[in-house]
Amino acid sequence: MTASAGRPLGRVLVTGAAGFVGQWLLPALAAQGAELFALALERPAPQSRGAGIPAPAPDTTWLTGDLRDEAYLAQVVATARPDTVIHLAAISHVPTATADPALAWDVNVTATARLLHQLQQQREQRGTDPTVLIVGSAEQYGRDESHRIPLEETAVQAPRTVYAATKAAQEVLALQQWRANTLRVVVARSFNHSGAGQPPRFLLPALVQRARSLATAPAGTPMPVGNRSPIRDFLHVSDVVAAYISLCQRGAPGEAYNVASGTGWSVQQLLERVLARTGSLAVPFEDPTLVRPVDVPVLIGDPRKLQHATAWRAQHSLDDIIEDLLHAATF
């Protein structure tokens, strides 16, 4: 849906702009009339775009460099002079964060602290007042016996992975900036999302890729999968992008919002829908190498706070996501 009216977006700085969500977000921001500044380690090559991914936003100013370089980051903020910042840059793959915790903490937490510091410095020196959307994760909730499903934003955060811990810490330092300095920070806690262009190291594109590769294989061909019992809440990436824009315009500073559908699907249910759609007669089996050592059984988010604040509503179904992945030329 089109983001509801509110604060003007103006000059928008997007970090992690070359990633999966960034490639969907930039065109959506351009459609809202934003002046775009995209920060990434490197600009995405045209051939990296798969079918179904929106065309690149025209007139985007690309700034390529490392968010962990404080001097470079100061130059980025001075160049962009943003009215709005959407902070996507992160080590977002749970196994990658687990394999290199120091990198995950440096990128997800320390680099965020540097970014917020530079924005506060600009605010004091130039009198700007940017809105900063910090993108967190449902993984922050972890597993706690007090949790009621669907999860509300008041639920205890009990992160169980390195990735989840870094995202919880990122939120703490961001909200501290709001409390101490009134830097206009809004937090999104995003539940699972997917769509064309998401790499196959993530759950849904991995299932689709495996099932599609076995679509014509003989019945009974083994198909490796991980743990099939976890239940997750999925949104189409375009709905997530619409939620982010809406939060930049209408979200209350100092508040956190679930970006979720409110509906849960087990990995087994996802697998059954994917196999049925591809026509594959493969037989799934649990591959120990695909099972995470720490897995939260259920993550379903209550989206009512987001809906009340912005009038946002999800427009796409789980089947829409699967269809988009099936028709993508690349993953």
Side-chain angles (χ1 to χ4, degrees), residues 28-46:
L29 287 166
Q32 295 284 324
E35 185 176 354
L36 298 175
F37 296 84
L39 175 60
L41 284 172
E42 57 184 25
R43 184 170 178 171

Side-chain angles (χ1 to χ4, degrees), residues 23 27 80 105 138 184 208 237 261 269:
Q23 291 186 69
W105 279 91
R184 196 161 56 201
V208 169
V237 61
S261 72
Q269 289 174 309

Side-chain angles (χ1 to χ4, degrees), residues 155-174:
V156 171
Q157 294 192 43
R160 294 170 63 86
T161 64
V162 171
Y163 168 70
T166 63
K167 284 296 186 176
Q170 173 189 255
E171 179 178 309
V172 168
L173 71 89

Side-chain angles (χ1 to χ4, degrees), residues 79-91:
T79 298
R81 303 189 311 280
D83 302 299
T84 304
V85 179
I86 302 178
H87 183 39
L88 299 176
I91 302 297

